[in-house]
């Protein structure tokens, strides 16, 4: 692929055969409307459905599309990081393939980048579409992370834009259990937030059930703070 693009859009995919056609159509329309040069870099995270087949067809039909494909499911954090390491754009954005992230917010993110911000977080305005359980556990998660010293952005998941120099610094971290929501703020460049409305999934079901959410929380807590170790040592 041509490595002279303005923006690389990284899209982690795990069993997204139902949502990919609509996502591709919507995102292409928005990016072309912006008038910027772009690439769509899909990362197939070991999908067991027709996701890879659909991506191969997209590559044949559109020169803006590229993909990476894992041999098995390594998880969304690894998929995003692989995209970072292979992106060609001057700046990079990450978006889910289910169109829950507002595509139109990309325009505002790029404006913030042009104004001098190296990191632009996409932040949900509210959690009205979530269940009471998910809202409560999410709030508890962010409070625990901040109490343990991890600098996370409340109501920000993975929708973000990063400059090339942030990518270079991020690649120097040799973390095994990746938790990018906490790792990116550690890079230290100028950052800001763009607020958007979170949509419902256009198709399929969530790939983050309770078990995966707990595992992500544990990775975040144990990889970004020494306080759990100190607590265990004190109890011992």
């Amino acid at each position: 692929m041509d490595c002279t693009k303005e923006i690389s859009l990284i899209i982690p995919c795990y069993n997204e055969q139902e949502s990919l056609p609509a996502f591709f159509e919507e995102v292409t329309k928005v990016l072309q409307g912006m008038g910027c040069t772009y690439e769509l870099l899909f990362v197939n995270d070991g999908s067991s459905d027709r996701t890879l087949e659909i991506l191969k067809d997209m590559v044949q039909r559109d020169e803006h599309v590229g993909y990476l494909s894992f041999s098995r499911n390594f998880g969304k954090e690894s998929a995003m990081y692989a995209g970072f390491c292979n992106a060609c754009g001057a700046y990079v954005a990450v978006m889910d393939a289910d169109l829950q992230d507002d595509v139109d917010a990309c325009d505002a993110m790029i404006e913030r980048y042009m104004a001098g911000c190296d990191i632009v977080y996409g932040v949900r305005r509210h959690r009205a579409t979530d269940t009471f359980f998910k809202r409560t556990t999410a709030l508890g998660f962010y409070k625990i992370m901040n109490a343990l010293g991890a600098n996370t952005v409340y109501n920000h998941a993975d929708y973000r834009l990063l400059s090339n120099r942030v990518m270079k610094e991020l690649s120097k971290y040799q973390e095994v259990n990746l938790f990018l929501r906490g790792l990116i703020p550690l890079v230290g460049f100028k950052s800001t937030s763009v607020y958007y409305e979170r949509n419902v999934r256009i198709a399929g079901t969530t790939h983050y059930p309770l078990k995966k959410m707990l595992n992500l929380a544990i990775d975040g807590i144990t990889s970004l703070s020494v306080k759990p170790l100190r607590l265990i040592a004190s109890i011992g």
Side-chain angles (χ1 to χ4, degrees):
M1 294 182 68
D2 182 6
C3 287
T4 59
K5 305 298 184 184
E6 291 179 44
I7 182 170
S8 294
L9 185 59
I10 298 169
I11 310 102
C13 300
Y14 178 63
N15 292 342
E16 295 288 359
Q17 64 177 19
E18 296 179 34
S19 62
L20 276 176
F23 173 86
F24 173 71
E25 181 179 350
E26 179 68 20
V27 169
T28 298
K29 180 176 66 175
V30 171
L31 290 176
Q32 288 179 346
M34 291 179 187
C36 59
T37 57
Y38 67 92
E39 67 166 346
L40 302 177
L41 181 56
F42 295 87
V43 185
N44 176 41
D45 187 18
S47 299
S48 57
D49 63 0
R50 295 181 59 251
T51 294
L52 181 57
E53 181 182 335
I54 293 171
L55 293 179
K56 289 180 178 179
D57 181 61
M58 285 182 181
V59 170
Q60 294 298 318
R61 292 188 290 111
D62 194 319
E63 63 178 3
H64 297 92
V65 178
Y67 74 88
L68 304 171
S69 188
F70 290 169
S71 59
R72 64 171 178 84
N73 179 242
F74 284 91
K76 188 178 180 182
E77 301 291 305
S78 296
M80 289 187 291
Y81 191 76
F84 291 158
C85 294
N86 289 273
C88 295
Y91 47 95
V92 173
V94 181
M95 184 182 297
D96 289 342
D98 54 20
L99 283 179
Q100 285 191 279
D101 299 326
D102 183 7
V103 183
D104 291 326
C106 268
D107 204 0
M109 287 182 170
I110 293 173
E111 287 181 3
R112 302 293 197 283
Y113 165 78
M114 294 299 182
C117 292
D118 287 280
I119 304 172
V120 185
Y121 300 107
V123 179
R124 298 174 60 169
R125 292 187 187 276
H126 54 73
R127 288 184 168 269
T129 58
D130 288 351
T131 63
F132 172 77
F133 175 78
K134 189 166 185 179
R135 285 197 302 270
T136 305
T137 53
L139 177 61
F141 168 74
Y142 287 108
K143 284 185 175 181
I144 291 172
M145 291 298 296
N146 289 328
L148 291 174
N151 183 22
T152 56
V153 179
Y154 180 63
N155 270 351
H156 163 69
D158 301 308
Y159 192 18
R160 62 178 73 94
L161 183 147
L162 307 174
S163 71
N164 235 335
R165 60 177 183 167
V166 172
M167 307 288 295
K168 290 178 181 177
E169 292 303 315
L170 191 61
S171 66
K172 296 177 182 179
Y173 286 88
Q174 301 298 316
E175 299 291 330
V176 176
N177 297 320
L178 287 168
F179 184 68
L180 293 171
R181 298 183 201 183
L183 200 58
I184 289 172
L186 294 178
V187 177
F189 290 102
K190 184 178 180 180
S191 65
T192 188
S193 297
V194 167
Y195 293 88
Y196 70 98
E197 301 292 335
R198 180 80 164 173
N199 303 314
V200 296
R201 286 184 63 94
I202 57 173
T205 58
T206 179
H207 302 311
Y208 261 88
L210 180 60
K211 182 179 179 181
K212 280 193 174 182
M213 289 174 62
L214 289 174
N215 287 337
L216 180 65
I218 291 170
D219 282 344
I221 291 170
T222 56
S223 63
L224 294 173
S225 175
V226 297
K227 289 186 179 180
L229 290 175
R230 290 174 179 171
L231 178 61
I232 292 171
S234 298
I235 294 173

PDB file of all heavy atoms in Angstrom, residues 201-231:
ATOM      1  N   ARG A 201     -24.963  -1.183  18.190  1.00  0.00           N
ATOM      2  CA  ARG A 201     -24.311  -1.985  17.158  1.00  0.00           C
ATOM      3  C   ARG A 201     -25.225  -2.119  15.948  1.00  0.00           C
ATOM      4  O   ARG A 201     -26.432  -2.297  16.080  1.00  0.00           O
ATOM      5  CB  ARG A 201     -23.997  -3.389  17.681  1.00  0.00           C
ATOM      6  CG  ARG A 201     -22.834  -3.476  18.657  1.00  0.00           C
ATOM      7  CD  ARG A 201     -22.577  -4.933  19.023  1.00  0.00           C
ATOM      8  NE  ARG A 201     -22.176  -5.699  17.848  1.00  0.00           N
ATOM      9  CZ  ARG A 201     -20.914  -5.919  17.494  1.00  0.00           C
ATOM     10  NH1 ARG A 201     -19.923  -5.430  18.203  1.00  0.00           N
ATOM     11  NH2 ARG A 201     -20.640  -6.634  16.425  1.00  0.00           N
ATOM     12  N   ILE A 202     -24.629  -2.056  14.744  1.00  0.00           N
ATOM     13  CA  ILE A 202     -25.439  -2.215  13.544  1.00  0.00           C
ATOM     14  C   ILE A 202     -25.757  -3.683  13.277  1.00  0.00           C
ATOM     15  O   ILE A 202     -26.721  -3.995  12.576  1.00  0.00           O
ATOM     16  CB  ILE A 202     -24.727  -1.612  12.311  1.00  0.00           C
ATOM     17  CG1 ILE A 202     -23.335  -2.246  12.113  1.00  0.00           C
ATOM     18  CG2 ILE A 202     -24.637  -0.117  12.418  1.00  0.00           C
ATOM     19  CD1 ILE A 202     -22.663  -1.813  10.821  1.00  0.00           C
ATOM     20  N   ALA A 203     -24.957  -4.595  13.825  1.00  0.00           N
ATOM     21  CA  ALA A 203     -25.182  -6.029  13.615  1.00  0.00           C
ATOM     22  C   ALA A 203     -24.332  -6.810  14.602  1.00  0.00           C
ATOM     23  O   ALA A 203     -23.363  -6.308  15.163  1.00  0.00           O
ATOM     24  CB  ALA A 203     -24.831  -6.437  12.181  1.00  0.00           C
ATOM     25  N   GLY A 204     -24.698  -8.070  14.800  1.00  0.00           N
ATOM     26  CA  GLY A 204     -23.908  -8.946  15.650  1.00  0.00           C
ATOM     27  C   GLY A 204     -24.096  -8.655  17.134  1.00  0.00           C
ATOM     28  O   GLY A 204     -24.966  -7.893  17.536  1.00  0.00           O
ATOM     29  N   THR A 205     -23.241  -9.268  17.943  1.00  0.00           N
ATOM     30  CA  THR A 205     -23.309  -9.110  19.391  1.00  0.00           C
ATOM     31  C   THR A 205     -21.970  -8.636  19.921  1.00  0.00           C
ATOM     32  O   THR A 205     -20.946  -8.702  19.234  1.00  0.00           O
ATOM     33  CB  THR A 205     -23.663 -10.452  20.071  1.00  0.00           C
ATOM     34  OG1 THR A 205     -22.677 -11.444  19.707  1.00  0.00           O
ATOM     35  CG2 THR A 205     -25.032 -10.937  19.628  1.00  0.00           C
ATOM     36  N   THR A 206     -21.972  -8.134  21.147  1.00  0.00           N
ATOM     37  CA  THR A 206     -20.741  -7.629  21.752  1.00  0.00           C
ATOM     38  C   THR A 206     -19.693  -8.731  21.875  1.00  0.00           C
ATOM     39  O   THR A 206     -20.018  -9.897  22.120  1.00  0.00           O
ATOM     40  CB  THR A 206     -21.027  -7.043  23.146  1.00  0.00           C
ATOM     41  OG1 THR A 206     -19.777  -6.590  23.710  1.00  0.00           O
ATOM     42  CG2 THR A 206     -21.629  -8.067  24.077  1.00  0.00           C
ATOM     43  N   HIS A 207     -18.435  -8.349  21.682  1.00  0.00           N
ATOM     44  CA  HIS A 207     -17.322  -9.286  21.832  1.00  0.00           C
ATOM     45  C   HIS A 207     -16.613  -9.084  23.162  1.00  0.00           C
ATOM     46  O   HIS A 207     -15.520  -9.601  23.380  1.00  0.00           O
ATOM     47  CB  HIS A 207     -16.343  -9.120  20.673  1.00  0.00           C
ATOM     48  CG  HIS A 207     -16.963  -9.331  19.324  1.00  0.00           C
ATOM     49  ND1 HIS A 207     -17.746 -10.426  19.025  1.00  0.00           N
ATOM     50  CD2 HIS A 207     -16.934  -8.568  18.202  1.00  0.00           C
ATOM     51  CE1 HIS A 207     -18.159 -10.350  17.770  1.00  0.00           C
ATOM     52  NE2 HIS A 207     -17.691  -9.214  17.259  1.00  0.00           N
ATOM     53  N   TYR A 208     -17.236  -8.302  24.049  1.00  0.00           N
ATOM     54  CA  TYR A 208     -16.664  -8.060  25.368  1.00  0.00           C
ATOM     55  C   TYR A 208     -17.651  -8.463  26.462  1.00  0.00           C
ATOM     56  O   TYR A 208     -18.226  -7.603  27.120  1.00  0.00           O
ATOM     57  CB  TYR A 208     -16.256  -6.591  25.526  1.00  0.00           C
ATOM     58  CG  TYR A 208     -14.775  -6.379  25.300  1.00  0.00           C
ATOM     59  CD1 TYR A 208     -14.292  -6.134  24.020  1.00  0.00           C
ATOM     60  CD2 TYR A 208     -13.862  -6.462  26.343  1.00  0.00           C
ATOM     61  CE1 TYR A 208     -12.936  -5.952  23.786  1.00  0.00           C
ATOM     62  CE2 TYR A 208     -12.502  -6.284  26.124  1.00  0.00           C
ATOM     63  CZ  TYR A 208     -12.056  -6.029  24.852  1.00  0.00           C
ATOM     64  OH  TYR A 208     -10.711  -5.865  24.625  1.00  0.00           O
ATOM     65  N   PRO A 209     -17.851  -9.767  26.657  1.00  0.00           N
ATOM     66  CA  PRO A 209     -18.687 -10.211  27.768  1.00  0.00           C
ATOM     67  C   PRO A 209     -17.982  -9.949  29.098  1.00  0.00           C
ATOM     68  O   PRO A 209     -16.841  -9.464  29.132  1.00  0.00           O
ATOM     69  CB  PRO A 209     -18.838 -11.717  27.507  1.00  0.00           C
ATOM     70  CG  PRO A 209     -17.616 -12.089  26.728  1.00  0.00           C
ATOM     71  CD  PRO A 209     -17.296 -10.883  25.886  1.00  0.00           C
ATOM     72  N   LEU A 210     -18.647 -10.283  30.203  1.00  0.00           N
ATOM     73  CA  LEU A 210     -18.118  -9.979  31.525  1.00  0.00           C
ATOM     74  C   LEU A 210     -16.724 -10.550  31.746  1.00  0.00           C
ATOM     75  O   LEU A 210     -15.846  -9.870  32.300  1.00  0.00           O
ATOM     76  CB  LEU A 210     -19.082 -10.519  32.592  1.00  0.00           C
ATOM     77  CG  LEU A 210     -18.669 -10.282  34.050  1.00  0.00           C
ATOM     78  CD1 LEU A 210     -18.528  -8.799  34.343  1.00  0.00           C
ATOM     79  CD2 LEU A 210     -19.663 -10.931  35.000  1.00  0.00           C
ATOM     80  N   LYS A 211     -16.484 -11.771  31.302  1.00  0.00           N
ATOM     81  CA  LYS A 211     -15.175 -12.405  31.525  1.00  0.00           C
ATOM     82  C   LYS A 211     -14.052 -11.608  30.863  1.00  0.00           C
ATOM     83  O   LYS A 211     -13.000 -11.363  31.473  1.00  0.00           O
ATOM     84  CB  LYS A 211     -15.189 -13.837  30.993  1.00  0.00           C
ATOM     85  CG  LYS A 211     -13.894 -14.590  31.233  1.00  0.00           C
ATOM     86  CD  LYS A 211     -13.962 -16.012  30.706  1.00  0.00           C
ATOM     87  CE  LYS A 211     -12.646 -16.746  30.937  1.00  0.00           C
ATOM     88  NZ  LYS A 211     -12.697 -18.147  30.408  1.00  0.00           N
ATOM     89  N   LYS A 212     -14.268 -11.183  29.630  1.00  0.00           N
ATOM     90  CA  LYS A 212     -13.235 -10.410  28.930  1.00  0.00           C
ATOM     91  C   LYS A 212     -13.043  -9.044  29.570  1.00  0.00           C
ATOM     92  O   LYS A 212     -11.926  -8.528  29.635  1.00  0.00           O
ATOM     93  CB  LYS A 212     -13.600 -10.255  27.448  1.00  0.00           C
ATOM     94  CG  LYS A 212     -13.279 -11.471  26.598  1.00  0.00           C
ATOM     95  CD  LYS A 212     -13.372 -11.140  25.132  1.00  0.00           C
ATOM     96  CE  LYS A 212     -12.915 -12.322  24.281  1.00  0.00           C
ATOM     97  NZ  LYS A 212     -12.945 -11.997  22.831  1.00  0.00           N
ATOM     98  N   MET A 213     -14.130  -8.447  30.034  1.00  0.00           N
ATOM     99  CA  MET A 213     -14.025  -7.146  30.701  1.00  0.00           C
ATOM    100  C   MET A 213     -13.199  -7.258  31.975  1.00  0.00           C
ATOM    101  O   MET A 213     -12.367  -6.399  32.271  1.00  0.00           O
ATOM    102  CB  MET A 213     -15.423  -6.616  31.022  1.00  0.00           C
ATOM    103  CG  MET A 213     -16.210  -6.164  29.802  1.00  0.00           C
ATOM    104  SD  MET A 213     -17.913  -5.717  30.208  1.00  0.00           S
ATOM    105  CE  MET A 213     -17.636  -4.343  31.318  1.00  0.00           C
ATOM    106  N   LEU A 214     -13.412  -8.346  32.732  1.00  0.00           N
ATOM    107  CA  LEU A 214     -12.643  -8.557  33.954  1.00  0.00           C
ATOM    108  C   LEU A 214     -11.170  -8.779  33.648  1.00  0.00           C
ATOM    109  O   LEU A 214     -10.294  -8.244  34.335  1.00  0.00           O
ATOM    110  CB  LEU A 214     -13.214  -9.739  34.731  1.00  0.00           C
ATOM    111  CG  LEU A 214     -14.572  -9.517  35.401  1.00  0.00           C
ATOM    112  CD1 LEU A 214     -15.096 -10.819  36.008  1.00  0.00           C
ATOM    113  CD2 LEU A 214     -14.480  -8.440  36.471  1.00  0.00           C
ATOM    114  N   ASN A 215     -10.886  -9.561  32.606  1.00  0.00           N
ATOM    115  CA  ASN A 215      -9.493  -9.816  32.229  1.00  0.00           C
ATOM    116  C   ASN A 215      -8.792  -8.524  31.799  1.00  0.00           C
ATOM    117  O   ASN A 215      -7.622  -8.296  32.122  1.00  0.00           O
ATOM    118  CB  ASN A 215      -9.429 -10.838  31.092  1.00  0.00           C
ATOM    119  CG  ASN A 215      -9.749 -12.245  31.561  1.00  0.00           C
ATOM    120  OD1 ASN A 215      -9.603 -12.559  32.745  1.00  0.00           O
ATOM    121  ND2 ASN A 215     -10.200 -13.086  30.654  1.00  0.00           N
ATOM    122  N   LEU A 216      -9.521  -7.674  31.053  1.00  0.00           N
ATOM    123  CA  LEU A 216      -8.946  -6.398  30.635  1.00  0.00           C
ATOM    124  C   LEU A 216      -8.662  -5.514  31.841  1.00  0.00           C
ATOM    125  O   LEU A 216      -7.614  -4.862  31.923  1.00  0.00           O
ATOM    126  CB  LEU A 216      -9.906  -5.682  29.680  1.00  0.00           C
ATOM    127  CG  LEU A 216      -9.443  -4.324  29.143  1.00  0.00           C
ATOM    128  CD1 LEU A 216      -8.200  -4.496  28.273  1.00  0.00           C
ATOM    129  CD2 LEU A 216     -10.554  -3.648  28.347  1.00  0.00           C
ATOM    130  N   ALA A 217      -9.584  -5.508  32.793  1.00  0.00           N
ATOM    131  CA  ALA A 217      -9.393  -4.706  33.999  1.00  0.00           C
ATOM    132  C   ALA A 217      -8.177  -5.184  34.791  1.00  0.00           C
ATOM    133  O   ALA A 217      -7.383  -4.386  35.284  1.00  0.00           O
ATOM    134  CB  ALA A 217     -10.644  -4.768  34.867  1.00  0.00           C
ATOM    135  N   ILE A 218      -8.030  -6.496  34.911  1.00  0.00           N
ATOM    136  CA  ILE A 218      -6.885  -7.056  35.639  1.00  0.00           C
ATOM    137  C   ILE A 218      -5.578  -6.689  34.947  1.00  0.00           C
ATOM    138  O   ILE A 218      -4.588  -6.312  35.593  1.00  0.00           O
ATOM    139  CB  ILE A 218      -7.032  -8.581  35.771  1.00  0.00           C
ATOM    140  CG1 ILE A 218      -8.192  -8.920  36.715  1.00  0.00           C
ATOM    141  CG2 ILE A 218      -5.734  -9.212  36.288  1.00  0.00           C
ATOM    142  CD1 ILE A 218      -8.569 -10.377  36.732  1.00  0.00           C
ATOM    143  N   ASP A 219      -5.549  -6.802  33.609  1.00  0.00           N
ATOM    144  CA  ASP A 219      -4.344  -6.423  32.857  1.00  0.00           C
ATOM    145  C   ASP A 219      -4.006  -4.952  33.089  1.00  0.00           C
ATOM    146  O   ASP A 219      -2.842  -4.587  33.270  1.00  0.00           O
ATOM    147  CB  ASP A 219      -4.555  -6.663  31.356  1.00  0.00           C
ATOM    148  CG  ASP A 219      -4.409  -8.122  30.980  1.00  0.00           C
ATOM    149  OD1 ASP A 219      -3.855  -8.888  31.791  1.00  0.00           O
ATOM    150  OD2 ASP A 219      -4.856  -8.502  29.877  1.00  0.00           O
ATOM    151  N   GLY A 220      -5.036  -4.113  33.085  1.00  0.00           N
ATOM    152  CA  GLY A 220      -4.811  -2.692  33.294  1.00  0.00           C
ATOM    153  C   GLY A 220      -4.260  -2.392  34.674  1.00  0.00           C
ATOM    154  O   GLY A 220      -3.305  -1.618  34.828  1.00  0.00           O
ATOM    155  N   ILE A 221      -4.858  -3.009  35.672  1.00  0.00           N
ATOM    156  CA  ILE A 221      -4.443  -2.743  37.055  1.00  0.00           C
ATOM    157  C   ILE A 221      -3.033  -3.254  37.325  1.00  0.00           C
ATOM    158  O   ILE A 221      -2.210  -2.575  37.936  1.00  0.00           O
ATOM    159  CB  ILE A 221      -5.444  -3.379  38.039  1.00  0.00           C
ATOM    160  CG1 ILE A 221      -6.788  -2.635  37.958  1.00  0.00           C
ATOM    161  CG2 ILE A 221      -4.909  -3.350  39.461  1.00  0.00           C
ATOM    162  CD1 ILE A 221      -7.913  -3.329  38.695  1.00  0.00           C
ATOM    163  N   THR A 222      -2.732  -4.460  36.844  1.00  0.00           N
ATOM    164  CA  THR A 222      -1.435  -5.080  37.156  1.00  0.00           C
ATOM    165  C   THR A 222      -0.289  -4.542  36.298  1.00  0.00           C
ATOM    166  O   THR A 222       0.871  -4.614  36.710  1.00  0.00           O
ATOM    167  CB  THR A 222      -1.504  -6.608  36.989  1.00  0.00           C
ATOM    168  OG1 THR A 222      -1.956  -6.918  35.649  1.00  0.00           O
ATOM    169  CG2 THR A 222      -2.468  -7.215  37.982  1.00  0.00           C
ATOM    170  N   SER A 223      -0.599  -4.007  35.114  1.00  0.00           N
ATOM    171  CA  SER A 223       0.482  -3.556  34.235  1.00  0.00           C
ATOM    172  C   SER A 223       0.832  -2.085  34.417  1.00  0.00           C
ATOM    173  O   SER A 223       1.908  -1.655  33.994  1.00  0.00           O
ATOM    174  CB  SER A 223       0.106  -3.796  32.761  1.00  0.00           C
ATOM    175  OG  SER A 223      -1.030  -3.038  32.404  1.00  0.00           O
ATOM    176  N   LEU A 224      -0.053  -1.309  35.047  1.00  0.00           N
ATOM    177  CA  LEU A 224       0.181   0.130  35.127  1.00  0.00           C
ATOM    178  C   LEU A 224       0.409   0.657  36.538  1.00  0.00           C
ATOM    179  O   LEU A 224       0.651   1.837  36.710  1.00  0.00           O
ATOM    180  CB  LEU A 224      -1.001   0.876  34.502  1.00  0.00           C
ATOM    181  CG  LEU A 224      -1.181   0.685  32.995  1.00  0.00           C
ATOM    182  CD1 LEU A 224      -2.474   1.341  32.532  1.00  0.00           C
ATOM    183  CD2 LEU A 224      -0.008   1.258  32.227  1.00  0.00           C
ATOM    184  N   SER A 225       0.304  -0.191  37.526  1.00  0.00           N
ATOM    185  CA  SER A 225       0.451   0.300  38.894  1.00  0.00           C
ATOM    186  C   SER A 225       1.190  -0.720  39.755  1.00  0.00           C
ATOM    187  O   SER A 225       0.998  -1.926  39.619  1.00  0.00           O
ATOM    188  CB  SER A 225      -0.941   0.567  39.501  1.00  0.00           C
ATOM    189  OG  SER A 225      -0.823   0.936  40.856  1.00  0.00           O
ATOM    190  N   VAL A 226       2.050  -0.217  40.654  1.00  0.00           N
ATOM    191  CA  VAL A 226       2.759  -1.086  41.587  1.00  0.00           C
ATOM    192  C   VAL A 226       1.988  -1.230  42.897  1.00  0.00           C
ATOM    193  O   VAL A 226       2.377  -2.003  43.770  1.00  0.00           O
ATOM    194  CB  VAL A 226       4.178  -0.542  41.893  1.00  0.00           C
ATOM    195  CG1 VAL A 226       5.017  -0.525  40.630  1.00  0.00           C
ATOM    196  CG2 VAL A 226       4.104   0.846  42.520  1.00  0.00           C
ATOM    197  N   LYS A 227       0.883  -0.499  43.042  1.00  0.00           N
ATOM    198  CA  LYS A 227       0.130  -0.537  44.291  1.00  0.00           C
ATOM    199  C   LYS A 227      -0.418  -1.924  44.632  1.00  0.00           C
ATOM    200  O   LYS A 227      -0.420  -2.310  45.802  1.00  0.00           O
ATOM    201  CB  LYS A 227      -0.988   0.507  44.259  1.00  0.00           C
ATOM    202  CG  LYS A 227      -0.473   1.940  44.347  1.00  0.00           C
ATOM    203  CD  LYS A 227      -1.599   2.950  44.453  1.00  0.00           C
ATOM    204  CE  LYS A 227      -1.027   4.376  44.555  1.00  0.00           C
ATOM    205  NZ  LYS A 227      -2.104   5.388  44.670  1.00  0.00           N
ATOM    206  N   PRO A 228      -0.911  -2.721  43.652  1.00  0.00           N
ATOM    207  CA  PRO A 228      -1.337  -4.076  44.011  1.00  0.00           C
ATOM    208  C   PRO A 228      -0.214  -4.921  44.603  1.00  0.00           C
ATOM    209  O   PRO A 228      -0.435  -5.686  45.554  1.00  0.00           O
ATOM    210  CB  PRO A 228      -1.807  -4.643  42.661  1.00  0.00           C
ATOM    211  CG  PRO A 228      -2.217  -3.456  41.877  1.00  0.00           C
ATOM    212  CD  PRO A 228      -1.245  -2.392  42.254  1.00  0.00           C
ATOM    213  N   LEU A 229       1.018  -4.783  44.069  1.00  0.00           N
ATOM    214  CA  LEU A 229       2.141  -5.524  44.605  1.00  0.00           C
ATOM    215  C   LEU A 229       2.467  -5.079  46.041  1.00  0.00           C
ATOM    216  O   LEU A 229       2.763  -5.908  46.901  1.00  0.00           O
ATOM    217  CB  LEU A 229       3.369  -5.345  43.713  1.00  0.00           C
ATOM    218  CG  LEU A 229       3.327  -6.008  42.337  1.00  0.00           C
ATOM    219  CD1 LEU A 229       4.565  -5.642  41.528  1.00  0.00           C
ATOM    220  CD2 LEU A 229       3.218  -7.526  42.480  1.00  0.00           C
ATOM    221  N   ARG A 230       2.410  -3.776  46.254  1.00  0.00           N
ATOM    222  CA  ARG A 230       2.670  -3.257  47.595  1.00  0.00           C
ATOM    223  C   ARG A 230       1.603  -3.736  48.574  1.00  0.00           C
ATOM    224  O   ARG A 230       1.908  -4.054  49.740  1.00  0.00           O
ATOM    225  CB  ARG A 230       2.708  -1.730  47.567  1.00  0.00           C
ATOM    226  CG  ARG A 230       3.950  -1.179  46.847  1.00  0.00           C
ATOM    227  CD  ARG A 230       3.878   0.331  46.717  1.00  0.00           C
ATOM    228  NE  ARG A 230       5.068   0.874  46.060  1.00  0.00           N
ATOM    229  CZ  ARG A 230       5.205   2.122  45.654  1.00  0.00           C
ATOM    230  NH1 ARG A 230       4.199   2.978  45.852  1.00  0.00           N
ATOM    231  NH2 ARG A 230       6.304   2.528  45.087  1.00  0.00           N
ATOM    232  N   LEU A 231       0.352  -3.785  48.119  1.00  0.00           N
ATOM    233  CA  LEU A 231      -0.729  -4.254  48.973  1.00  0.00           C
ATOM    234  C   LEU A 231      -0.527  -5.721  49.354  1.00  0.00           C
ATOM    235  O   LEU A 231      -0.679  -6.102  50.503  1.00  0.00           O
ATOM    236  CB  LEU A 231      -2.078  -4.064  48.254  1.00  0.00           C
ATOM    237  CG  LEU A 231      -3.320  -4.552  48.997  1.00  0.00           C
ATOM    238  CD1 LEU A 231      -3.488  -3.795  50.309  1.00  0.00           C
ATOM    239  CD2 LEU A 231      -4.548  -4.380  48.105  1.00  0.00           C
TER     240      LEU A 231
END
